[in-house]
Amino acid sequence: MEKNVQIPENIVTRFVEAARETIGENLLSVYLHGSAAMGCFNPKSSDLDLLVCVKEALDDSTKRRFMDRVVALHEEFVRISGSSHAGIEMSVLLQKDCKPFVYPTPFDLHFSAMHLKWYKDNPDDYVQKMKGTDEDLAAHITITRARGRCLFGMPIEDFFGEVPAENYFDSIRGDVENAESEITENTNYLVLNLARVLAFKKDGLVLSKKEGGKWVLENIPAEYHGIVKTALAEYESGEPAQYDKSQAVNYAKFMLGLIF
């Protein structure tokens, strides 16, 4: 893993402490994945992506105690980063669903910035209902197996079984299938995600958004390079960029034609 001094290690360490102290012996491991594990973390725009792995499902009181500490760390991280686009994203997974791998993957608890209001308004309702299955976990687990960092507990390969390539591709493809209609509202994310989806389809590569952007510059016509370079610059700097909306839509159409 590429060393990245910008990762808020204090937040990461205290997240692991919160998991150990609230979940106790039921906790098997904690893993860091995403940009923080792939050498392209930007505190202005990147989430801290974490997987919390347990033997048995958590009871609601344990979920409340854990969530209270996760939310406090999330809000501290947002204050430190100075950006509403950054935060903690985490899922709690059961061992039985990860080796052998189950798709779509069940989760016992999840949190991200988009769910903050729900938890604060009605925490009991949140911990009772925030569970289910999530196709995105196939991508998260694939990246964890390929590039992740074990923060506590079992080695990554001991907890997670192999994710079939078709499950990983279905997971990342689903994230971009509406790109043509959504790219003008979420341009940076979709420009770079389309790139890494194509990189996997064409060359079987598991890449970060930054790596996908660099790969695609060598694999698509020059007429689309401008928007990719703009997206890469925004991703690396964390400063908002201006995009040509028609160019973004044309890029999405082109890329989706290669992916689907």
Side-chain angles (χ1 to χ4, degrees), residues 110-181:
H110 176 75
F111 174 75
S112 68
M114 68 182 294
H115 300 114
L116 179 62
K117 186 177 186 304
W118 177 14
Y119 183 73
K120 288 201 152 189
D121 288 348
N122 196 338
D124 290 332
D125 184 63
Y126 187 95
V127 299
Q128 290 168 13
K129 295 179 180 176
M130 180 50 81
K131 55 188 173 184
T133 60
D134 184 1
E135 288 84 354
D136 287 349
L137 285 165
H140 299 335
I141 293 168
T142 298
I143 291 169
T144 301
R145 281 174 50 90
R147 311 277 288 276
R149 172 178 160 192
C150 180
L151 302 173
F152 167 78
M154 296 172 66
I156 291 168
E157 62 273 15
D158 289 350
F159 188 86
F160 293 113
E162 184 175 354
V163 178
E166 60 268 24
N167 293 159
Y168 175 68
F169 185 57
D170 184 64
S171 174
I172 59 175
R173 182 178 56 187
D175 207 30
V176 300
E177 62 184 354
N178 297 316
E180 185 176 341
S181 61

Side-chain angles (χ1 to χ4, degrees), residues 60 72 98-99 131 150 188 198 216 218 237 241 251 256:
D60 288 350
C98 295
K99 194 171 187 178
K131 55 188 173 184
C150 180
N188 184 268
L198 183 60
V216 87
E218 299 179 0
S237 69
Y251 169 81
L256 289 171

Side-chain angles (χ1 to χ4, degrees), residues 236-255:
E236 292 175 355
S237 69
E239 300 298 327
Q242 295 297 316
Y243 294 95
D244 181 315
K245 291 187 177 182
S246 63
Q247 186 183 46
V249 171
N250 288 338
Y251 169 81
K253 288 180 180 178
F254 172 79
M255 295 292 283

Side-chain angles (χ1 to χ4, degrees), residues 8 13 34-35 53 65 114 121 163 214 225 260:
T13 298
S35 60
C53 304
R65 293 194 303 273
M114 68 182 294
D121 288 348
V163 178
K214 292 184 174 180
H225 287 189
F260 287 88

